[in-house]
Amino acid sequence: MIVTSVLGNDKKILILNRSLSTKTLQNKWAGISGYMEPSEDLLSRALLEIYEETKIDKHQLILHKILDQISIYFEPDTIFLIQPFYFLSSTQKVILNWEHTEYRWIGLPDVDKYEFVPRFKEILKICFGRF
């Protein structure tokens, strides 16, 4: 199970460019994601990943939506189950860790300009209902 979080602030969404140091999908744009650890709950993992990857603290976030889980078929024999969340952030200040090389706060009209990890654009559409 993987959690993926979308952060919004002032009609913009945060996207992150995956570094060459990540195991998969390098140089693709994404939200904030991480694998679940045993005995963790989904929301706690999402908040931890947000902090690790952006240094945005849970006190700067409001959970806006919990989306339905989706599956991603990755390689012939691998299926990942994704739990997406949509948070509103009170800040646009981001401090990246090693997993990403850059970040951008973009408006919805700019979504088509980026190459995203699989199904992330679909997650954005579910969050916002339009492009």
Side-chain angles (χ1 to χ4, degrees):
M1 171 78 71
I2 297 172
V3 296
T4 295
S5 297
V6 175
L7 269 58
N9 174 285
D10 194 28
K11 298 184 182 178
K12 299 209 180 267
I13 54 169
L14 177 66
I15 59 171
L16 308 153
N17 192 264
R18 293 176 55 81
S19 78
L20 295 176
S21 300
T22 57
K23 292 180 184 177
T24 59
L25 304 167
Q26 297 91 347
N27 287 326
K28 301 275 194 257
W29 291 90
I32 301 160
S33 296
Y35 292 98
M36 290 288 300
E37 300 291 335
S39 76
E40 274 187 317
D41 69 88
L42 295 167
L43 183 57
S44 295
R45 171 47 59 181
L47 293 168
L48 181 62
E49 291 294 333
I50 292 168
Y51 185 75
E52 286 177 353
E53 295 182 24
T54 68
K55 295 298 184 234
I56 295 175
D57 186 78
K58 65 183 178 181
H59 297 99
Q60 296 172 294
L61 300 168
I62 296 171
L63 178 59
H64 190 66
K65 288 183 185 176
I66 301 173
L67 287 70
D68 291 336
Q69 293 179 357
I70 61 172
S71 298
I72 294 179
Y73 297 89
F74 189 76
E75 299 175 359
D77 301 341
T78 307
I79 300 173
F80 291 114
L81 188 59
I82 309 292
Q83 174 59 67
F85 294 92
Y86 175 39
F87 292 91
L88 299 177
S89 172
S90 65
T91 183
Q92 287 190 6
K93 182 181 177 185
V94 173
I95 300 171
L96 296 176
N97 70 359
W98 62 271
E99 295 178 62
H100 305 284
T101 58
E102 65 180 304
Y103 71 92
R104 295 185 184 160
W105 289 92
I106 65 167
L108 291 179
D110 297 322
V111 166
D112 287 331
K113 298 176 183 177
Y114 296 90
E115 187 175 350
F116 292 108
V117 298
R119 300 201 70 186
F120 186 68
K121 191 172 175 181
E122 180 181 335
I123 291 169
L124 293 178
K125 188 169 187 171
I126 294 167
C127 284
F128 301 103
R130 62 181 168 76
F131 287 141

